[in-house]
Amino acid sequence: MAVLQWDQEVYMPAMGATLRAQQLATLSGMAHDLGVEKELGSLLEELSKSDSLNKIEKINVTETLRVYNDRKKYNTAFVIELSKTVSESFNAWQEAKRKKDFNLFLPFLSKLVDLKKKECDLLGYEEHPYDALLNQFEPGLKTKKVSAIFTQLHNQLIPVTKKIADASQPNTDFLHLHFDKNKQWDFSLILLKQLNYDFNKGRQDISTHPFTTGFNANDVRVTTRINENDLFEMIGSSIHECGHALYEQGLPVNDYGLPSGEFLSLAIHESQSRLWENKVGRSLSFWKCNFQTLKNTFPDQLKNISVQQFYAAINTVKPSFIRTNADELTYHLHIMIRFELERDLFEGKIDVADLKNEWNKKYNNYLGLKVEDDSQGILQDVHWSHGMFGYFPTYSLGSMYAAQFFEAAKNEIKNLEAEIESGSNLPLLNWLREKIHRHGKTFSADELCINITGSELNIDFFMNYIKEKYANLYSFNL
Ligand code: CO
């Protein structure tokens, strides 16, 4: 299924879509049937009672049994209805986005939300229906905890974004000159090599929405997107996806097919992409090493630009409509808006019909932006049309984990920033491999974070990093 999906995003001709959807539906049906087979259940039950298992084996059995039991909660009729509704919703969303009209998507989204509410009941929850959805992406995460983290984050981010808004903005014009597609492609390969992406275990292609897919630790593929009028779009997405891929290339390949060979959770996955993208790819150290190569690739466009000017330009903070193009700070305001809407929706506090108004109100309150049309507002993300509710918070949590992990790395790796400046990114990768990648799913996210940093997830690490970096870049005092 992963190979078919990868092909669909990267190479498949447009006319292939309908039958490809059918092929994928057939395979997911088969996977579901195999995954709920009685014999599998009784073998897992038997194994879970065995005393002969070591610690890792025990975790593999318990985790596989948990997934098995969750899968059993679905009946075939529900699975088919959900899958059909998702296909229809995705088509409706594409058309609605093209026509900039949320109303075309509304009836499909309503139906999908009703089904997802049913799914919350099927799966069960202790405190909040939305917990059931969060747990599909981030096992054990509670709505209450996300609310608390986001309230803290909101209160601390707003004063910083206000200070930045009052400061003078760096020149970013040179990032928007014309940058040849092929030359950008060549530079993206240089970036991947520089970051130790293993091309014997992967490849890069082009797609509209950059993504990483791992079939196993020995075949982890990335895509990037190239915008000839925005140089950092390729750079940012290449480094981001490379971070995801380094994680999967570092999973224990001998544990293929077992939880101990799989990534831990989406937030931890995102912590790896954000760590490389933001802590490395948006750092002065990294560009002190790589800016000359970039300049050699684009000598005319970057002729009079210093590395300091480049560093300032790629770290510009400015509220904007589109989440995926947002800077490191305002990005989280985009996520909070989506989280609050999803939470209120599943709590029954708001209705699908209220979403657009609520969305626009929040964009005005949090980002000071007046949404002019639905395609740059409520229709911008694909997630809801795929029925993926509970996914967005993992993006922000990933950044928070990244900041906390990177702080630990700086404490443990001698002269980490000097290493990066000299072009040596291997000490950091090896550290991540040792602390995170090789463990697969054998810890919970909380346990992993405590093991590495000595404490649970704490947004102070992120806020301290943000304050120091941006007070410096925008010359203000905090
Ligand atoms: Co990502």
Side-chain angles (χ1 to χ4, degrees):
M1 285 169 71
V3 178
L4 287 181
Q5 277 157 349
W6 170 82
D7 173 74
Q8 182 173 356
E9 299 277 329
V10 177
Y11 288 115
M12 190 188 74
M15 285 293 281
T18 316
L19 289 176
R20 179 57 52 88
Q22 196 175 310
Q23 292 159 346
L24 282 164
T26 304
L27 284 176
S28 53
M30 289 168 71
H32 181 77
D33 291 346
L34 287 167
V36 294
E37 256 186 19
K38 249 202 172 115
E39 202 193 344
L40 175 63
S42 36
L43 286 171
L44 286 166
E45 289 287 355
E46 198 183 318
L47 273 171
S48 67
K49 286 175 202 128
S50 160
D51 325 311
S52 64
L53 303 179
N54 67 32
K55 197 176 149 236
I56 305 280
E57 288 167 340
K58 252 189 213 129
I59 291 170
N60 280 332
V61 172
T62 314
E63 178 60 17
T64 311
L65 187 56
R66 187 187 65 81
V67 173
Y68 173 83
N69 285 329
D70 267 353
R71 213 179 263 139
K72 292 274 279 189
K73 293 174 184 167
Y74 294 87
N75 58 59
T76 314
F78 182 84
V79 172
I80 291 171
E81 200 187 352
L82 185 60
S83 139
K84 220 181 104 219
T85 310
V86 163
S87 292
E88 291 165 357
S89 302
F90 177 63
N91 290 335
W93 169 77
Q94 282 180 309
E95 197 200 338
K97 192 175 178 182
R98 203 169 48 240
K99 295 187 174 158
K100 305 179 179 185
D101 184 359
F102 179 63
N103 286 329
L104 297 173
F105 182 43
L106 186 60
F108 296 90
L109 186 61
S110 269
K111 195 175 163 202
L112 195 49
V113 168
D114 285 343
L115 281 172
K116 296 301 280 189
K117 283 183 176 171
K118 262 189 213 161
E119 193 176 1
C120 296
D121 293 333
L122 284 178
L123 287 166
Y125 52 86
E126 282 164 25
E127 293 170 12
H128 197 291
Y130 187 66
D131 290 352
L133 301 176
L134 280 175
N135 288 339
Q136 294 180 321
F137 306 110
E138 203 57 28
L141 186 62
K142 291 269 198 296
T143 309
K144 208 163 70 185
K145 186 172 173 183
V146 182
S147 293
I149 290 175
F150 281 177
T151 306
Q152 263 185 359
L153 192 61
H154 186 260
N155 294 341
Q156 296 194 41
L157 268 180
I158 294 294
V160 184
T161 51
K162 287 225 167 86
K163 289 230 179 205
I164 291 174
D166 294 338
S168 69
Q169 286 288 342
N171 170 26
T172 56
D173 294 348
F174 61 88
L175 288 177
H176 301 280
L177 300 172
H178 183 264
F179 294 91
D180 175 74
K181 205 165 62 195
N182 295 325
K183 285 186 180 164
Q184 284 202 53
W185 172 259
D186 292 343
F187 189 75
S188 75
L189 297 178
I190 293 175
L191 281 173
L192 292 180
K193 280 179 197 141
Q194 168 72 250
L195 296 172
N196 301 294
Y197 175 83
D198 187 344
F199 279 91
N200 292 316
K201 298 178 179 173
R203 53 177 288 126
Q204 180 179 256
D205 293 272
I206 298 276
S207 68
T208 332
H209 305 285
F211 67 98
T212 301
T213 183
F215 308 144
N216 55 67
N218 285 342
D219 189 350
V220 183
R221 306 180 187 191
V222 290
T223 70
T224 191
R225 84 171 136 204
I226 294 178
N227 179 344
E228 291 201 303
N229 300 309
D230 185 349
L231 179 60
F232 204 74
E233 221 172 278
M234 174 279 292
I235 295 176
S237 35
S238 274
I239 302 179
H240 182 95
E241 299 309 328
C242 181
H244 279 304
L246 291 174
Y247 181 17
E248 295 214 14
Q249 287 187 337
L251 292 170
V253 72
N254 294 330
D255 292 28
Y256 170 63
L258 294 170
S260 55
E262 285 166 8
F263 67 87
L264 200 162
S265 70
L266 279 187
I268 297 302
H269 221 311
E270 195 69 8
S271 78
Q272 301 305 288
S273 57
R274 302 271 161 156
L275 189 147
W276 289 103
E277 180 193 349
N278 293 333
K279 303 292 177 297
V280 179
R282 288 182 205 268
S283 74
L284 188 57
S285 315
F286 183 76
W287 288 105
K288 276 186 181 164
C289 172
N290 294 293
F291 190 57
Q292 194 52 50
T293 316
L294 185 62
K295 254 182 134 158
N296 295 343
T297 313
F298 300 107
D300 295 338
Q301 296 91 324
L302 301 175
K303 192 166 50 195
N304 298 315
I305 305 300
S306 70
V307 65
Q308 186 68 45
Q309 284 172 307
F310 181 75
Y311 168 65
I314 64 173
N315 285 294
T316 310
V317 175
K318 203 174 170 212
S320 61
F321 291 103
I322 306 295
R323 173 185 64 84
T324 53
N325 295 338
D327 57 79
E328 274 189 278
L329 268 82
T330 59
Y331 184 86
H332 301 288
L333 301 173
H334 292 263
I335 297 297
M336 279 173 213
I337 291 171
R338 288 153 178 77
F339 163 70
E340 288 170 13
L341 293 177
E342 291 185 353
R343 180 196 57 197
D344 294 353
L345 196 57
F346 284 90
E347 213 173 286
K349 226 169 144 183
I350 58 169
D351 199 63
V352 181
D354 308 324
L355 274 177
K356 179 180 158 175
N357 265 340
E358 291 296 315
W359 176 288
N360 292 351
K361 240 181 2 203
K362 283 180 192 285
Y363 264 78
N364 204 356
N365 286 343
Y366 292 10
L367 290 145
L369 297 172
K370 202 172 165 319
V371 178
E372 298 287 348
D373 73 62
D374 296 347
S375 71
Q376 62 168 359
I378 190 155
L379 292 173
Q380 66 180 272
D381 294 307
V382 69
H383 301 60
W384 290 349
S385 77
H386 282 328
M388 295 198 299
F389 298 89
Y391 193 111
F392 285 119
T394 67
Y395 290 131
S396 282
L397 296 179
S399 293
M400 308 299 123
Y401 279 122
Q404 196 164 338
F405 293 161
F406 194 68
E407 210 40 49
K410 278 203 293 193
N411 291 333
E412 289 181 25
I413 303 167
K414 228 177 108 204
N415 301 324
L416 174 57
E417 271 153 358
E419 292 280 2
I420 293 171
E421 195 176 320
S422 74
S424 155
N425 296 302
L426 210 49
L428 179 57
L429 178 58
N430 287 338
W431 187 88
L432 293 168
R433 290 261 147 96
E434 163 69 23
K435 301 281 175 179
I436 300 171
H437 304 175
R438 72 184 176 96
H439 298 295
K441 233 188 189 92
T442 57
F443 294 117
S444 70
D446 279 341
E447 286 167 346
L448 185 82
C449 190
I450 291 169
N451 289 350
I452 298 174
T453 70
S455 67
E456 265 187 49
L457 182 63
N458 179 342
I459 71 154
D460 291 350
F461 293 96
F462 175 76
M463 281 315 305
N464 291 340
Y465 152 75
I466 288 293
K467 285 176 190 163
E468 195 190 322
K469 177 173 176 180
Y470 289 92
N472 199 299
L473 269 164
Y474 281 89
S475 316
F476 60 77
N477 297 315
L478 279 161

